[in-house]
Amino acid sequence: MTGLPPDRRRVDEVEAVRWLAGAHEELAVAGVVIEHGGLQPRSGCLHAHLAAEKALKALLVYRGITIRRSHDLFELVSLLTGDDVRCASADDLELLNPWSIEGRYPADLIVVTSGQAQEVLDAAGRIVAAVARCI
C-alpha cells in the first residue's frame, strides 16, 4: 500500500484498527459465552467466527484490498497476498468457517460441547493474534 496517497493510507489504517478492535471484542464475547455454564457453546462459536472474519477484513482493509460482503473465511484469505496468507491455517479455517451459518439460524443449530467450542475459540484467537502482528 505504499503507493497510496498519505491521506488515503491514514484512512485505511484507522478503519483497519476499528475492524481489529471489533475482532477483539467478538473474541472476548465468544470467551464469555463459552465459559458461561448457562449459555449454549454454539453461540460462542458464532462470535468466534465473527472475530476471525473481522480480523481478516481488518488486514484486507489495512493492505488496501477491497472487501466484499462475505462471511466465507476461505474467500477472505484468498484475497490476501504474500506472507499475509499465513495469518490463518487451513485447519483453523475449517473449524471456524461453518459457524458463519450454523450458529445463526435455528434450523441449522447443532449440538456442540464446551470442549469443541473452546477449539473454535482457540482457532479464532490464533487468527486475531496473527493479524494484530501484521497491523
Short mmCIF file of all heavy atoms in Angstrom, two decimals, residues 4-60:
data_model
loop_
_atom_site.label_atom_id
_atom_site.label_comp_id
_atom_site.label_asym_id
_atom_site.label_seq_id
_atom_site.Cartn_x
_atom_site.Cartn_y
_atom_site.Cartn_z
N LEU A 4 -0.16 4.38 -2.14
CA LEU A 4 -1.34 5.20 -1.89
C LEU A 4 -0.96 6.57 -1.36
O LEU A 4 0.06 6.71 -0.67
CB LEU A 4 -2.25 4.52 -0.84
CG LEU A 4 -2.96 3.24 -1.28
CD1 LEU A 4 -3.72 2.65 -0.12
CD2 LEU A 4 -3.90 3.52 -2.43
N PRO A 5 -1.77 7.56 -1.64
CA PRO A 5 -1.51 8.88 -1.06
C PRO A 5 -1.58 8.79 0.47
O PRO A 5 -2.34 7.99 1.01
CB PRO A 5 -2.66 9.74 -1.60
CG PRO A 5 -3.28 8.97 -2.70
CD PRO A 5 -2.94 7.54 -2.49
N PRO A 6 -0.80 9.62 1.18
CA PRO A 6 -0.76 9.55 2.64
C PRO A 6 -2.13 9.68 3.30
O PRO A 6 -2.41 8.99 4.28
CB PRO A 6 0.15 10.72 3.04
CG PRO A 6 0.97 10.98 1.83
CD PRO A 6 0.12 10.61 0.66
N ASP A 7 -3.02 10.54 2.78
CA ASP A 7 -4.33 10.69 3.41
C ASP A 7 -5.17 9.43 3.23
O ASP A 7 -5.90 9.02 4.14
CB ASP A 7 -5.07 11.92 2.88
CG ASP A 7 -5.25 11.92 1.36
OD1 ASP A 7 -4.46 11.25 0.68
OD2 ASP A 7 -6.17 12.60 0.89
N ARG A 8 -5.08 8.76 2.09
CA ARG A 8 -5.82 7.50 1.87
C ARG A 8 -5.25 6.41 2.78
O ARG A 8 -5.96 5.61 3.33
CB ARG A 8 -5.72 7.10 0.40
CG ARG A 8 -6.42 5.81 0.05
CD ARG A 8 -7.94 5.95 0.09
NE ARG A 8 -8.46 5.02 1.07
CZ ARG A 8 -9.66 5.08 1.61
NH1 ARG A 8 -10.49 6.01 1.27
NH2 ARG A 8 -10.05 4.20 2.49
N ARG A 9 -3.95 6.38 2.90
CA ARG A 9 -3.27 5.39 3.75
C ARG A 9 -3.75 5.55 5.18
O ARG A 9 -4.06 4.57 5.86
CB ARG A 9 -1.76 5.58 3.65
CG ARG A 9 -0.96 4.76 4.60
CD ARG A 9 -0.88 3.32 4.15
NE ARG A 9 -0.02 2.61 5.08
CZ ARG A 9 -0.15 1.35 5.35
NH1 ARG A 9 -1.06 0.64 4.75
NH2 ARG A 9 0.64 0.76 6.19
N ARG A 10 -3.86 6.76 5.66
CA ARG A 10 -4.28 7.02 7.04
C ARG A 10 -5.72 6.56 7.26
O ARG A 10 -6.02 5.96 8.28
CB ARG A 10 -4.13 8.52 7.34
CG ARG A 10 -4.60 8.92 8.71
CD ARG A 10 -3.62 8.45 9.77
NE ARG A 10 -4.13 8.82 11.07
CZ ARG A 10 -4.29 7.98 12.08
NH1 ARG A 10 -3.93 6.73 11.96
NH2 ARG A 10 -4.78 8.39 13.22
N VAL A 11 -6.59 6.81 6.31
CA VAL A 11 -7.98 6.36 6.42
C VAL A 11 -8.04 4.84 6.51
O VAL A 11 -8.76 4.29 7.34
CB VAL A 11 -8.82 6.89 5.23
CG1 VAL A 11 -10.18 6.21 5.18
CG2 VAL A 11 -8.97 8.40 5.31
N ASP A 12 -7.26 4.15 5.68
CA ASP A 12 -7.23 2.69 5.71
C ASP A 12 -6.71 2.18 7.05
O ASP A 12 -7.23 1.20 7.60
CB ASP A 12 -6.37 2.14 4.58
CG ASP A 12 -7.03 2.29 3.22
OD1 ASP A 12 -8.23 2.62 3.16
OD2 ASP A 12 -6.34 2.09 2.20
N GLU A 13 -5.69 2.82 7.60
CA GLU A 13 -5.14 2.40 8.88
C GLU A 13 -6.17 2.56 9.99
O GLU A 13 -6.34 1.66 10.82
CB GLU A 13 -3.88 3.21 9.22
CG GLU A 13 -2.70 2.83 8.37
CD GLU A 13 -1.50 3.74 8.61
OE1 GLU A 13 -1.62 4.73 9.36
OE2 GLU A 13 -0.44 3.45 8.04
N VAL A 14 -6.87 3.68 10.01
CA VAL A 14 -7.88 3.93 11.03
C VAL A 14 -9.01 2.91 10.91
O VAL A 14 -9.45 2.34 11.92
CB VAL A 14 -8.42 5.38 10.94
CG1 VAL A 14 -9.66 5.57 11.81
CG2 VAL A 14 -7.33 6.37 11.31
N GLU A 15 -9.46 2.66 9.70
CA GLU A 15 -10.54 1.69 9.51
C GLU A 15 -10.08 0.28 9.89
O GLU A 15 -10.83 -0.48 10.51
CB GLU A 15 -11.03 1.70 8.05
CG GLU A 15 -12.22 0.81 7.85
CD GLU A 15 -12.79 0.85 6.43
OE1 GLU A 15 -12.36 1.69 5.62
OE2 GLU A 15 -13.66 0.02 6.15
N ALA A 16 -8.86 -0.07 9.56
CA ALA A 16 -8.33 -1.39 9.91
C ALA A 16 -8.27 -1.56 11.43
O ALA A 16 -8.61 -2.63 11.95
CB ALA A 16 -6.95 -1.58 9.30
N VAL A 17 -7.87 -0.54 12.13
CA VAL A 17 -7.81 -0.60 13.59
C VAL A 17 -9.21 -0.80 14.17
O VAL A 17 -9.39 -1.55 15.13
CB VAL A 17 -7.11 0.65 14.17
CG1 VAL A 17 -7.31 0.76 15.67
CG2 VAL A 17 -5.62 0.63 13.81
N ARG A 18 -10.20 -0.16 13.57
CA ARG A 18 -11.58 -0.34 14.04
C ARG A 18 -12.06 -1.76 13.78
O ARG A 18 -12.71 -2.36 14.64
CB ARG A 18 -12.50 0.69 13.36
CG ARG A 18 -12.26 2.08 13.93
CD ARG A 18 -13.11 3.19 13.41
NE ARG A 18 -14.33 2.84 12.73
CZ ARG A 18 -14.88 3.59 11.78
NH1 ARG A 18 -14.30 4.70 11.40
NH2 ARG A 18 -16.00 3.23 11.21
N TRP A 19 -11.75 -2.32 12.63
CA TRP A 19 -12.11 -3.71 12.35
C TRP A 19 -11.42 -4.64 13.36
O TRP A 19 -12.05 -5.58 13.88
CB TRP A 19 -11.68 -4.10 10.94
CG TRP A 19 -12.65 -3.77 9.86
CD1 TRP A 19 -12.57 -2.72 8.98
CD2 TRP A 19 -13.85 -4.47 9.51
NE1 TRP A 19 -13.64 -2.74 8.12
CE2 TRP A 19 -14.44 -3.81 8.41
CE3 TRP A 19 -14.47 -5.61 10.01
CZ2 TRP A 19 -15.62 -4.25 7.82
CZ3 TRP A 19 -15.65 -6.04 9.42
CH2 TRP A 19 -16.21 -5.37 8.34
N LEU A 20 -10.15 -4.39 13.63
CA LEU A 20 -9.41 -5.25 14.56
C LEU A 20 -9.95 -5.12 15.98
O LEU A 20 -10.03 -6.13 16.70
CB LEU A 20 -7.91 -4.92 14.51
CG LEU A 20 -7.01 -5.88 15.28
CD1 LEU A 20 -7.18 -7.33 14.80
CD2 LEU A 20 -5.56 -5.44 15.16
N ALA A 21 -10.35 -3.93 16.38
CA ALA A 21 -10.97 -3.75 17.70
C ALA A 21 -12.26 -4.57 17.78
O ALA A 21 -12.55 -5.20 18.80
CB ALA A 21 -11.25 -2.28 17.97
N GLY A 22 -13.02 -4.58 16.70
CA GLY A 22 -14.24 -5.39 16.65
C GLY A 22 -13.92 -6.87 16.76
O GLY A 22 -14.66 -7.63 17.40
N ALA A 23 -12.82 -7.29 16.16
CA ALA A 23 -12.40 -8.69 16.25
C ALA A 23 -12.07 -9.07 17.69
O ALA A 23 -12.48 -10.12 18.18
CB ALA A 23 -11.19 -8.93 15.35
N HIS A 24 -11.35 -8.20 18.37
CA HIS A 24 -11.01 -8.46 19.78
C HIS A 24 -12.28 -8.51 20.64
O HIS A 24 -12.39 -9.34 21.55
CB HIS A 24 -10.05 -7.39 20.30
CG HIS A 24 -8.64 -7.59 19.84
ND1 HIS A 24 -7.83 -8.59 20.33
CD2 HIS A 24 -7.90 -6.92 18.93
CE1 HIS A 24 -6.65 -8.53 19.75
NE2 HIS A 24 -6.67 -7.53 18.89
N GLU A 25 -13.22 -7.63 20.35
CA GLU A 25 -14.48 -7.62 21.10
C GLU A 25 -15.25 -8.92 20.88
O GLU A 25 -15.76 -9.52 21.84
CB GLU A 25 -15.32 -6.42 20.66
CG GLU A 25 -16.61 -6.27 21.44
CD GLU A 25 -17.39 -5.04 21.01
OE1 GLU A 25 -16.76 -3.97 20.80
OE2 GLU A 25 -18.61 -5.15 20.88
N GLU A 26 -15.36 -9.37 19.64
CA GLU A 26 -16.07 -10.62 19.35
C GLU A 26 -15.38 -11.81 20.02
O GLU A 26 -16.04 -12.73 20.51
CB GLU A 26 -16.17 -10.86 17.84
CG GLU A 26 -17.02 -9.88 17.09
CD GLU A 26 -18.51 -9.96 17.42
OE1 GLU A 26 -18.96 -10.89 18.11
OE2 GLU A 26 -19.24 -9.06 16.95
N LEU A 27 -14.05 -11.78 20.04
CA LEU A 27 -13.29 -12.84 20.68
C LEU A 27 -13.59 -12.89 22.18
O LEU A 27 -13.79 -13.97 22.76
CB LEU A 27 -11.79 -12.63 20.43
CG LEU A 27 -10.87 -13.81 20.67
CD1 LEU A 27 -11.22 -14.98 19.76
CD2 LEU A 27 -9.43 -13.37 20.44
N ALA A 28 -13.65 -11.71 22.80
CA ALA A 28 -13.98 -11.64 24.23
C ALA A 28 -15.40 -12.15 24.50
O ALA A 28 -15.63 -12.90 25.45
CB ALA A 28 -13.81 -10.21 24.74
N VAL A 29 -16.33 -11.75 23.65
CA VAL A 29 -17.72 -12.21 23.80
C VAL A 29 -17.78 -13.73 23.66
O VAL A 29 -18.44 -14.41 24.45
CB VAL A 29 -18.65 -11.51 22.78
CG1 VAL A 29 -20.02 -12.17 22.75
CG2 VAL A 29 -18.78 -10.03 23.11
N ALA A 30 -17.09 -14.26 22.68
CA ALA A 30 -17.07 -15.71 22.48
C ALA A 30 -16.56 -16.41 23.73
O ALA A 30 -17.14 -17.41 24.17
CB ALA A 30 -16.21 -16.07 21.27
N GLY A 31 -15.50 -15.89 24.30
CA GLY A 31 -14.95 -16.49 25.51
C GLY A 31 -15.93 -16.48 26.67
O GLY A 31 -16.07 -17.48 27.38
N VAL A 32 -16.62 -15.37 26.86
CA VAL A 32 -17.60 -15.28 27.94
C VAL A 32 -18.73 -16.28 27.72
O VAL A 32 -19.14 -16.99 28.64
CB VAL A 32 -18.16 -13.83 28.04
CG1 VAL A 32 -19.38 -13.77 28.95
CG2 VAL A 32 -17.07 -12.89 28.53
N VAL A 33 -19.23 -16.35 26.51
CA VAL A 33 -20.33 -17.27 26.20
C VAL A 33 -19.90 -18.72 26.43
O VAL A 33 -20.63 -19.51 27.04
CB VAL A 33 -20.83 -17.06 24.75
CG1 VAL A 33 -21.80 -18.17 24.35
CG2 VAL A 33 -21.49 -15.69 24.61
N ILE A 34 -18.74 -19.07 25.95
CA ILE A 34 -18.27 -20.46 26.06
C ILE A 34 -18.00 -20.83 27.51
O ILE A 34 -18.30 -21.95 27.94
CB ILE A 34 -17.03 -20.68 25.16
CG1 ILE A 34 -17.46 -20.62 23.69
CG2 ILE A 34 -16.33 -21.99 25.48
CD1 ILE A 34 -16.33 -20.52 22.70
N GLU A 35 -17.49 -19.91 28.30
CA GLU A 35 -17.17 -20.20 29.70
C GLU A 35 -18.39 -20.14 30.61
O GLU A 35 -18.37 -20.68 31.71
CB GLU A 35 -16.09 -19.23 30.19
CG GLU A 35 -14.76 -19.46 29.51
CD GLU A 35 -13.76 -18.34 29.77
OE1 GLU A 35 -14.01 -17.49 30.65
OE2 GLU A 35 -12.72 -18.32 29.09
N HIS A 36 -19.47 -19.52 30.18
CA HIS A 36 -20.67 -19.37 30.99
C HIS A 36 -21.48 -20.67 30.92
O HIS A 36 -21.87 -21.10 29.84
CB HIS A 36 -21.51 -18.20 30.48
CG HIS A 36 -22.64 -17.84 31.38
ND1 HIS A 36 -23.80 -18.56 31.42
CD2 HIS A 36 -22.78 -16.83 32.27
CE1 HIS A 36 -24.62 -18.02 32.29
NE2 HIS A 36 -24.02 -16.97 32.83
N GLY A 37 -21.73 -21.25 32.06
CA GLY A 37 -22.42 -22.53 32.11
C GLY A 37 -23.85 -22.50 31.62
O GLY A 37 -24.38 -23.51 31.16
N GLY A 38 -24.52 -21.36 31.65
CA GLY A 38 -25.92 -21.29 31.28
C GLY A 38 -26.19 -20.94 29.84
O GLY A 38 -27.35 -20.88 29.43
N LEU A 39 -25.16 -20.72 29.06
CA LEU A 39 -25.34 -20.34 27.65
C LEU A 39 -24.89 -21.47 26.74
O LEU A 39 -24.05 -22.28 27.11
CB LEU A 39 -24.53 -19.07 27.33
CG LEU A 39 -24.92 -17.83 28.15
CD1 LEU A 39 -23.94 -16.70 27.88
CD2 LEU A 39 -26.34 -17.40 27.83
N GLN A 40 -25.45 -21.53 25.56
CA GLN A 40 -25.10 -22.57 24.59
C GLN A 40 -23.72 -22.28 23.98
O GLN A 40 -23.50 -21.20 23.44
CB GLN A 40 -26.15 -22.64 23.49
CG GLN A 40 -27.49 -23.13 23.95
CD GLN A 40 -27.41 -24.58 24.42
OE1 GLN A 40 -26.73 -25.40 23.82
NE2 GLN A 40 -28.11 -24.87 25.50
N PRO A 41 -22.81 -23.24 24.06
CA PRO A 41 -21.47 -23.03 23.48
C PRO A 41 -21.51 -22.68 21.99
O PRO A 41 -20.63 -21.97 21.51
CB PRO A 41 -20.77 -24.38 23.70
CG PRO A 41 -21.48 -24.99 24.85
CD PRO A 41 -22.91 -24.54 24.73
N ARG A 42 -22.53 -23.15 21.24
CA ARG A 42 -22.59 -22.86 19.81
C ARG A 42 -22.68 -21.36 19.55
O ARG A 42 -22.19 -20.88 18.54
CB ARG A 42 -23.76 -23.59 19.14
CG ARG A 42 -25.10 -23.17 19.63
CD ARG A 42 -26.24 -23.87 18.91
NE ARG A 42 -27.44 -23.87 19.69
CZ ARG A 42 -28.11 -22.79 20.07
NH1 ARG A 42 -27.69 -21.60 19.72
NH2 ARG A 42 -29.20 -22.89 20.78
N SER A 43 -23.30 -20.62 20.49
CA SER A 43 -23.36 -19.15 20.33
C SER A 43 -21.97 -18.55 20.41
O SER A 43 -21.65 -17.59 19.71
CB SER A 43 -24.26 -18.54 21.39
OG SER A 43 -25.58 -19.00 21.23
N GLY A 44 -21.13 -19.12 21.24
CA GLY A 44 -19.74 -18.66 21.30
C GLY A 44 -18.99 -18.95 20.02
O GLY A 44 -18.14 -18.16 19.59
N CYS A 45 -19.34 -20.05 19.36
CA CYS A 45 -18.70 -20.38 18.09
C CYS A 45 -19.05 -19.34 17.02
O CYS A 45 -18.19 -18.97 16.21
CB CYS A 45 -19.12 -21.77 17.63
SG CYS A 45 -18.52 -23.10 18.70
N LEU A 46 -20.27 -18.87 17.02
CA LEU A 46 -20.67 -17.82 16.08
C LEU A 46 -19.82 -16.56 16.31
O LEU A 46 -19.28 -15.99 15.36
CB LEU A 46 -22.14 -17.48 16.24
CG LEU A 46 -22.63 -16.22 15.51
CD1 LEU A 46 -22.49 -16.36 14.01
CD2 LEU A 46 -24.07 -15.92 15.87
N HIS A 47 -19.65 -16.18 17.57
CA HIS A 47 -18.85 -14.98 17.86
C HIS A 47 -17.36 -15.22 17.54
O HIS A 47 -16.67 -14.29 17.12
CB HIS A 47 -19.05 -14.53 19.30
CG HIS A 47 -20.38 -13.91 19.53
ND1 HIS A 47 -20.68 -12.62 19.14
CD2 HIS A 47 -21.51 -14.42 20.07
CE1 HIS A 47 -21.93 -12.35 19.45
NE2 HIS A 47 -22.46 -13.42 20.01
N ALA A 48 -16.90 -16.44 17.73
CA ALA A 48 -15.51 -16.75 17.37
C ALA A 48 -15.31 -16.59 15.86
O ALA A 48 -14.31 -16.03 15.41
CB ALA A 48 -15.15 -18.17 17.81
N HIS A 49 -16.28 -17.07 15.08
CA HIS A 49 -16.22 -16.89 13.63
C HIS A 49 -16.18 -15.41 13.28
O HIS A 49 -15.39 -14.97 12.45
CB HIS A 49 -17.41 -17.57 12.94
CG HIS A 49 -17.43 -17.31 11.47
ND1 HIS A 49 -17.97 -16.17 10.92
CD2 HIS A 49 -16.94 -18.03 10.44
CE1 HIS A 49 -17.82 -16.19 9.62
NE2 HIS A 49 -17.22 -17.33 9.29
N LEU A 50 -17.05 -14.63 13.93
CA LEU A 50 -17.08 -13.19 13.66
C LEU A 50 -15.74 -12.53 14.00
O LEU A 50 -15.31 -11.61 13.31
CB LEU A 50 -18.22 -12.53 14.44
CG LEU A 50 -19.63 -12.81 13.93
CD1 LEU A 50 -20.66 -12.28 14.92
CD2 LEU A 50 -19.83 -12.21 12.57
N ALA A 51 -15.11 -13.00 15.06
CA ALA A 51 -13.79 -12.45 15.43
C ALA A 51 -12.78 -12.69 14.32
O ALA A 51 -12.05 -11.77 13.91
CB ALA A 51 -13.31 -13.08 16.74
N ALA A 52 -12.74 -13.91 13.82
CA ALA A 52 -11.79 -14.23 12.74
C ALA A 52 -12.14 -13.45 11.48
O ALA A 52 -11.25 -12.91 10.80
CB ALA A 52 -11.81 -15.73 12.46
N GLU A 53 -13.42 -13.37 11.17
CA GLU A 53 -13.86 -12.64 9.97
C GLU A 53 -13.46 -11.16 10.06
O GLU A 53 -12.91 -10.60 9.10
CB GLU A 53 -15.38 -12.76 9.83
CG GLU A 53 -15.95 -12.03 8.64
CD GLU A 53 -17.47 -12.13 8.56
OE1 GLU A 53 -18.05 -13.12 9.05
OE2 GLU A 53 -18.08 -11.20 8.01
N LYS A 54 -13.71 -10.54 11.20
CA LYS A 54 -13.37 -9.12 11.35
C LYS A 54 -11.86 -8.91 11.32
O LYS A 54 -11.38 -7.91 10.77
CB LYS A 54 -13.98 -8.57 12.63
CG LYS A 54 -15.49 -8.41 12.54
CD LYS A 54 -16.09 -7.87 13.82
CE LYS A 54 -17.60 -7.73 13.68
NZ LYS A 54 -18.22 -7.15 14.90
N ALA A 55 -11.11 -9.84 11.88
CA ALA A 55 -9.66 -9.72 11.85
C ALA A 55 -9.14 -9.78 10.41
O ALA A 55 -8.31 -8.96 10.00
CB ALA A 55 -9.02 -10.80 12.71
N LEU A 56 -9.63 -10.76 9.66
CA LEU A 56 -9.19 -10.87 8.26
C LEU A 56 -9.59 -9.65 7.45
O LEU A 56 -8.81 -9.16 6.62
CB LEU A 56 -9.75 -12.15 7.64
CG LEU A 56 -9.17 -13.45 8.22
CD1 LEU A 56 -9.94 -14.66 7.70
CD2 LEU A 56 -7.69 -13.57 7.92
N LYS A 57 -10.77 -9.14 7.70
CA LYS A 57 -11.20 -7.92 7.00
C LYS A 57 -10.35 -6.73 7.42
O LYS A 57 -10.05 -5.85 6.60
CB LYS A 57 -12.68 -7.67 7.24
CG LYS A 57 -13.55 -8.66 6.47
CD LYS A 57 -15.03 -8.47 6.70
CE LYS A 57 -15.84 -9.46 5.84
NZ LYS A 57 -17.29 -9.32 6.04
N ALA A 58 -9.91 -6.70 8.66
CA ALA A 58 -9.01 -5.63 9.11
C ALA A 58 -7.72 -5.66 8.30
O ALA A 58 -7.23 -4.61 7.85
CB ALA A 58 -8.69 -5.80 10.60
N LEU A 59 -7.17 -6.84 8.11
CA LEU A 59 -5.92 -6.95 7.35
C LEU A 59 -6.12 -6.57 5.88
O LEU A 59 -5.29 -5.88 5.30
CB LEU A 59 -5.37 -8.37 7.47
CG LEU A 59 -4.01 -8.62 6.85
CD1 LEU A 59 -2.95 -7.63 7.35
CD2 LEU A 59 -3.57 -10.06 7.12
N LEU A 60 -7.24 -6.98 5.32
CA LEU A 60 -7.53 -6.61 3.93
C LEU A 60 -7.64 -5.09 3.79
O LEU A 60 -7.06 -4.50 2.87
CB LEU A 60 -8.81 -7.29 3.46
CG LEU A 60 -8.71 -8.80 3.25
CD1 LEU A 60 -10.09 -9.43 3.12
CD2 LEU A 60 -7.84 -9.13 2.04
#
